[in-house]
Amino acid sequence: MFLKENTLKKKIIINKMIIENIKVLKKTLEKIRKKKTINFIPTMGNLHDGHLSLIKKSQEKGYISLVSIYVNPLQFSEKNDFKNYPRTLKKDLELLEKYNVDLIFLPKRGFASTSLSVDVGKLGDKLCGTDRPGHFSGVALIILKFLYLIQPHFLTLGQKDYQQILIIKKLIKDFLFKTKLIVVPTLREKNGLALSSRNKLISEKNRHLTKMIFETLNIIAFDIENFGLKKNRISYLKQKLLKLGFEKVNYIEVLKEESLSELDSLPSRCRIFISITLEGVRLIDNIAVRKRLVKQEGFIKTV
Ligand code: AMP
């Protein structure tokens, strides 16, 4: 059973608690911090096995897991996207109880309210930053607020949101937080689709198409590793996805892993990134290329 925060007594040993009040959160963490390692796992709820894999990782390491559930309005550029984001708090709390999560933080509605903004620089202009204006600024602001409030020893994030990881990594470094990152690999459905809260917004009729997202990433990785990649190959794959029934291919790009910058003649670790829209639902994914890559005369190849 989770305790409600109003049952908090002065000397209570804190575990299995749902906290909404910031002062209570601070007090609780103050006590825990002296003896235990705090691992913070921010989520927007509608929890699935991907989220649970982050929690399991934290528990394997023996950390106190603090999971937040908060649909952050600042990171949505479209009102309808925010409105339609799946919210399943009751079910989420049951799941967290089943998984024995130590602490749950449910910030109140206005938690994100501010007239300030964070400019995340160049990293925010790429990939999802191009068609979701303000998205990463909104992510950065809420994470900044969380980090300042919680001061966790660790912050656990999923590899699916790779661009987000790079931005948060920079935030931690530039704002001198001591928090260390734990990155967990992307958990997928049987057909390769990365688990996401948005997946359930796709109708049964189009479910079969979703396997093409991961498949496209693998086709590109295979091509690069075996023959090299010409620019028109990506255009061809984009057209193929559109013909299959995807509404929009927001991007397919091969970029340097550390900076998200374009490849050049210097051998670099790279990742392949994809974003598509299906039935108005935006899905993203990425994979690493195992070998280092260079780009010469528009041609991407291994070294
Ligand atoms: P969200 O609730 O979508 O904001 O995600 C909360 C955290 O869970 C983020 O760090 C995500 O990267 C991570 N996450 C979401 N989906 C997956 C997945 N399929 N595999 C691993 N981590 C994930």
Side-chain angles (χ1 to χ4, degrees):
M1 265 285 281
F2 283 111
L3 295 172
K4 280 280 182 198
E5 62 188 1
N6 56 11
T7 61
L8 179 73
K9 306 244 171 58
K10 273 201 178 124
K11 279 190 282 176
I12 206 160
I13 309 291
I14 308 299
N15 62 1
K16 313 282 172 301
M17 241 180 74
I18 300 174
I19 302 177
E20 292 177 345
N21 181 294
I22 289 177
K23 275 190 191 153
V24 176
L25 179 70
K26 275 187 171 174
K27 261 198 163 160
T28 307
L29 294 177
E30 230 169 74
K31 285 184 197 166
I32 295 177
R33 192 181 313 283
K34 290 182 191 142
K35 293 188 185 155
K36 304 264 186 182
T37 304
I38 298 163
N39 181 21
F40 177 48
I41 306 163
T43 81
M44 296 208 294
N46 193 245
L47 303 178
H48 51 67
D49 286 349
H51 296 112
L52 294 176
S53 69
L54 271 55
I55 293 169
K56 279 186 208 153
K57 184 84 177 178
S58 172
Q59 292 175 331
E60 273 163 29
K61 290 181 179 277
Y63 301 151
I64 292 288
S65 307
L66 167 63
V67 175
S68 68
I69 299 180
Y70 185 63
V71 184
N72 170 24
L74 300 176
Q75 67 189 68
F76 288 82
S77 16
E78 285 170 36
K79 265 193 187 152
N80 267 346
D81 192 20
F82 175 64
K83 208 175 108 212
N84 295 335
Y85 196 85
R87 291 163 171 87
T88 51
L89 186 60
K90 191 166 174 279
K91 230 172 116 207
D92 291 347
L93 293 177
E94 282 165 12
L95 205 62
L96 294 176
E97 181 171 1
K98 188 171 149 211
Y99 277 79
N100 259 323
V101 169
D102 303 292
L103 293 169
I104 299 165
F105 178 37
L106 303 178
K108 300 216 170 93
R109 226 163 167 242
F111 182 71
S113 301
T114 177
S115 55
L116 303 179
S117 68
V118 180
D119 184 342
V120 295
K122 273 189 196 165
L123 276 174
D125 297 338
K126 313 276 167 114
L127 301 173
C128 292
T130 54
D131 57 339
R132 298 187 74 188
H135 169 70
F136 287 113
S137 170
V139 171
L141 208 134
I142 202 74
I143 292 292
L144 200 57
K145 202 156 180 175
F146 276 137
L147 288 177
Y148 183 71
L149 175 66
I150 297 166
Q151 307 273 334
H153 299 89
F154 289 97
L155 172 70
T156 299
L157 302 170
Q159 204 150 37
K160 180 175 80 78
D161 300 282
Y162 189 83
Q163 189 172 10
Q164 174 170 291
I165 295 172
L166 289 187
I167 288 168
I168 294 175
K169 211 179 193 178
K170 190 153 170 40
L171 203 69
I172 289 175
K173 184 168 172 274
D174 290 1
F175 283 87
L176 310 172
F177 285 105
K178 290 188 184 142
T179 304
K180 293 200 167 54
L181 275 189
I182 299 175
V183 176
V184 176
T186 304
L187 207 75
R188 301 175 179 284
E189 289 185 6
K190 270 202 192 118
N191 74 357
L193 174 67
L195 294 185
S196 161
S197 306
R198 295 173 190 271
N199 292 354
K200 56 184 64 146
L201 300 173
I202 309 276
S203 69
E204 207 44 53
K205 161 171 96 65
N206 280 323
R207 290 293 290 186
H208 68 285
L209 286 177
T210 57
K211 71 168 193 290
M212 288 309 299
I213 303 169
F214 188 48
E215 208 165 297
T216 303
L217 290 174
N218 283 307
I219 290 171
I220 296 172
F222 181 86
D223 282 4
I224 293 176
E225 285 176 13
N226 291 283
F227 329 110
L229 192 80
K230 284 187 198 147
K231 205 174 177 191
N232 59 10
R233 178 74 172 139
I234 288 190
S235 312
Y236 167 79
L237 290 168
K238 282 183 181 170
Q239 287 309 315
K240 195 173 140 194
L241 290 172
L242 293 173
K243 271 191 199 145
L244 280 171
F246 288 95
E247 247 156 81
K248 211 171 151 209
V249 180
N250 304 305
Y251 56 75
I252 299 180
E253 291 193 54
V254 184
L255 297 173
K256 289 191 185 183
E257 189 166 62
E258 286 303 314
S259 57
L260 298 186
S261 44
E262 295 286 334
L263 275 68
D264 49 34
S265 55
L266 293 174
S268 314
R269 295 252 160 244
C270 297
R271 295 187 87 85
I272 311 165
F273 298 89
I274 188 168
S275 166
I276 58 86
T277 303
L278 181 61
E279 293 182 43
V281 181
R282 206 172 173 286
L283 299 175
I284 58 169
D285 203 348
N286 70 87
I287 59 170
V289 184
R290 281 171 300 176
K291 295 181 184 160
R292 286 187 304 160
L293 304 181
V294 288
K295 190 173 186 181
Q296 278 161 356
E297 290 158 21
F299 187 68
I300 296 174
K301 57 179 190 177
T302 55
V303 280

